[in-house]
Amino acid sequence: MEKQITLPKSIKDLRLYHLEAIADLNPKKMDVYDKLKLVVQFTGLDMETCRRVSMEQINDIINHYFGLINNHKNEGPQKNIDIKGKKFVLIKSVGEQPLAWHIDISAFSTKDASNVAAFSYLEKGMGYCEMDKHKNIINPVTPRAELFREDLGADIYIDLGFFLQKKSKAYRHAYMEIKRQRAMKKKKSNDSTGKIKSMSSTKSLDIAGMK
């Protein structure tokens, strides 16, 4: 017996836990167990109910979700977002973030969309992990990540992902260019030092020969 399941009409109806469910999956290499777990996470139905859904309908559900994600057109990151009455602002620059931000993000799994979003969007009017007078963190990462996982639209995160990827490529390119220029400068310096040593050595031989 087939089970009637209501599917989301727009990517705006998807949440980060939907994206995290497919993060490590290849649609072309999924076995029946992967599909079952995916549909459970997509629909929120229990596993026993999903086991009774026809294979044809299972494939339709999965294709529908992947279609919403793959057909989304990048609109650029939203600078301001509002979730459950809480306002968050996109960080202006990675380089402007405090050392604590860089230390903490290296310890979190950036495979989780909720973590990436929590490091990218901070509470409006606040910096990263601000402290009160007793040095207690007012806006820790984890509660923000949990909120984003359940309530941040997948479209907002995907647009953010394109932005971060572009920024990452720009940073990588700039880093590699600086590294290349330093290597060239070092090579020129070594070449110059080598010529000086060579000239000094030749003169010494000439003087020794004259003696």
Side-chain angles (χ1 to χ4, degrees):
M1 181 178 72
E2 290 192 353
K3 175 81 176 178
Q4 292 298 318
I5 299 172
T6 302
L7 299 177
K9 295 180 180 180
S10 166
I11 191 172
K12 295 180 185 294
D13 299 320
L14 302 186
R15 295 294 175 260
L16 297 196
Y17 60 82
H18 292 121
L19 297 182
E20 291 178 352
I22 64 173
D24 296 321
L25 291 177
N26 183 334
K28 296 179 180 179
K29 295 183 178 180
M30 288 192 295
D31 58 27
V32 291
Y33 298 105
D34 289 330
K35 291 181 178 182
L36 175 61
K37 288 187 289 185
L38 201 54
V39 171
V40 168
Q41 290 174 296
F42 277 168
T43 64
L45 297 173
D46 61 84
M47 189 165 289
E48 188 56 39
T49 299
C50 290
R51 282 166 61 91
R52 298 180 184 280
V53 177
S54 71
M55 194 66 205
E56 184 179 44
Q57 196 173 14
I58 290 289
N59 288 330
D60 286 343
I61 292 170
I62 292 172
N63 290 336
H64 177 75
Y65 275 87
F66 274 107
L68 290 177
I69 294 168
N70 292 335
N71 293 328
H72 175 67
K73 294 182 180 179
N74 175 30
E75 298 178 358
Q78 292 189 26
K79 293 183 179 179
N80 298 278
I81 59 176
D82 192 321
I83 301 177
K84 289 188 172 181
K86 295 181 179 180
K87 299 183 184 300
F88 301 89
V89 179
L90 179 67
I91 61 173
K92 292 181 179 180
S93 167
V94 170
E96 291 179 2
Q97 298 310 305
L99 182 60
W101 186 95
H102 294 271
I103 293 172
D104 292 347
I105 198 171
S106 66
F108 277 76
S109 172
T110 50
K111 288 184 178 180
D112 294 335
S114 52
N115 285 338
V116 175
F119 277 97
S120 301
Y121 286 100
L122 304 179
E123 290 80 359
K124 187 174 182 179
M126 300 183 72
Y128 178 73
C129 284
E130 287 199 0
M131 295 183 176
D132 60 20
K133 62 181 182 180
H134 302 295
K135 295 192 175 181
N136 296 312
I137 296 176
I138 304 170
N139 57 334
V141 175
T142 301
R144 191 164 62 249
E146 291 172 352
L147 175 66
F148 288 169
R149 184 177 188 276
E150 298 299 322
D151 295 290
L152 183 67
D155 58 316
I156 295 174
Y157 178 77
I158 292 174
D159 289 342
L160 171 67
F162 278 116
F163 170 74
L164 293 177
Q165 188 177 41
K166 185 177 179 181
K167 283 286 186 183
S168 177
K169 285 182 179 179
Y171 291 141
R172 264 202 314 272
H173 177 75
Y175 170 75
M176 293 306 293
E177 180 61 21
I178 291 170
K179 190 175 180 181
R180 185 184 69 81
Q181 290 181 10
R182 284 178 177 172
M184 288 179 63
K185 188 175 180 181
K186 185 176 180 180
K187 185 175 183 299
K188 287 180 180 179
S189 176
N190 289 341
D191 289 346
S192 298
T193 303
K195 286 180 181 179
I196 292 171
K197 286 182 178 179
S198 177
M199 289 173 65
S200 174
S201 175
T202 303
K203 286 180 180 178
S204 296
L205 288 172
D206 288 342
I207 294 170
M210 287 175 65
K211 289 181 178 179

